[in-house]
Amino acid sequence: MLLQEQHLFNVSSLSGFLLLEFSDVWEMQILYYIGFPFFYLVAVAGNLLIISAVASDRQLHTPMYFFLMNLAIQDVGQVSVIFPKSMANSLMNQRFISYYGCVTQVLFFIFLMSSDFFLLTVMAYDRYVAICNPLHYEMLMNNHVCIRMIATVWIVSFFYGVLHTGGTFATPFCSNVIHQFFCEIRALLKLTCSNLYLIEVGILFLSAIIALGCFIFIVVTYVHIFTVVLKISSVHGRQKAFSTCLPHLLVYSLFLVTGSFAYFKTTSNSASLLDLAFTLIYSIVPPLMNPIIYSMRNKGIKDALLKLLGLKYSSRDSFSILVLQR
């Protein structure tokens, strides 16, 4: 049953929300009915292949690929939290999502998105150690250290998600009509009826500071990396380093800029194609691009994928390990 927009809702009586109806925007119909399922399936399939390749090939049981596998797991979860529900609503010609379904969606989306963000920072540190301190790599990035890093990322991100979810749903809502295709925090804050929403605004401001700090850390890290790389006499070695580092910075910057713009630009009480576009970019583009950027250009992953799929490939040089693939 679809709910009608009301003047005031109490949290105890609110049973659900109405999500954005894509059919109201004719220009987005083709993108939605064709693009969403296609991009979702490509993102999920690409990341699942990476997970299978790393898990099945013992040569890839190294810190770099361990982090890459966790990144793929997070990307699968991130897109699966929001897109299946949106596509199911479309197929059933409805817009409804339950209150607790919305809470769950916010919790897990923020949890997985923030873990993605923090893991990209950890991966930058891994590249820094591998390139700038190769002699100490085995000691600094051993199995126990990597597991502790990943555990910290998952745990901190979960509590981060809980913090955002609590701040978002601590206030009553004046409407149940969300001008977004999933339960996005910024869209929910437009529906609040009291000043309690300032709690979540404060949390978002703190998040912006943390994100900026992580970004500065990555920039400084790569300044050191590029300084070392430029001293490498081998042209192939320099190209390999740049092909690994520059896409990483591109994806990280895209994630940060679009997410920040989507959350901190001037608010509007109605649906906006610009809001939708930026939300799509930061929610689907990183999970879609990560398998291509971090894996498909990597010989170790390509060989493992060909082997996994049972295709004929040349194993020459498959045992050679460069500093950038440690």
Side-chain angles (χ1 to χ4, degrees), residues 173-194:
F173 296 98
C174 296
S175 171
N176 70 334
V177 179
I178 301 176
H179 296 299
Q180 194 51 267
F181 68 94
F182 72 101
C183 290
E184 184 190 41
I185 289 179
R186 186 173 179 276
L188 285 166
L189 292 181
K190 297 177 183 179
L191 311 180
T192 58
C193 295
S194 74

Side-chain angles (χ1 to χ4, degrees), residues 152-171:
T152 300
V153 167
W154 284 105
I155 293 172
V156 170
S157 298
F158 180 77
F159 282 105
Y160 185 76
V162 171
L163 184 65
H164 273 291
T165 305
T168 301
F169 291 94
T171 179

Side-chain angles (χ1 to χ4, degrees), residues 103-124:
V103 171
T104 301
Q105 197 173 71
V106 169
L107 171 62
F108 281 96
F109 181 72
I110 296 299
F111 162 48
L112 292 165
M113 186 176 66
S114 60
S115 63
D116 215 353
F117 191 84
F118 292 140
L119 183 55
L120 288 172
T121 306
V122 170
M123 292 174 71

Side-chain angles (χ1 to χ4, degrees), residues 59-66 126-127 130-131 137-138 236 240-241 244 294-295 297-303 317-326:
Q59 296 181 50
L60 302 184
H61 292 179
T62 60
M64 176 181 175
Y65 297 108
F66 175 65
D126 174 69
R127 293 299 83 215
I131 296 173
Y137 185 82
E138 297 294 338
H236 176 73
K240 185 72 174 180
T244 302
Y294 295 106
S295 306
R297 300 184 64 177
N298 184 288
K299 178 173 171 53
I301 287 291
K302 287 190 290 186
D303 288 347
D317 297 330
S318 63
F319 294 96
S320 60
I321 302 176
L322 299 175
V323 170
L324 296 177
Q325 293 179 314
R326 295 180 67 175

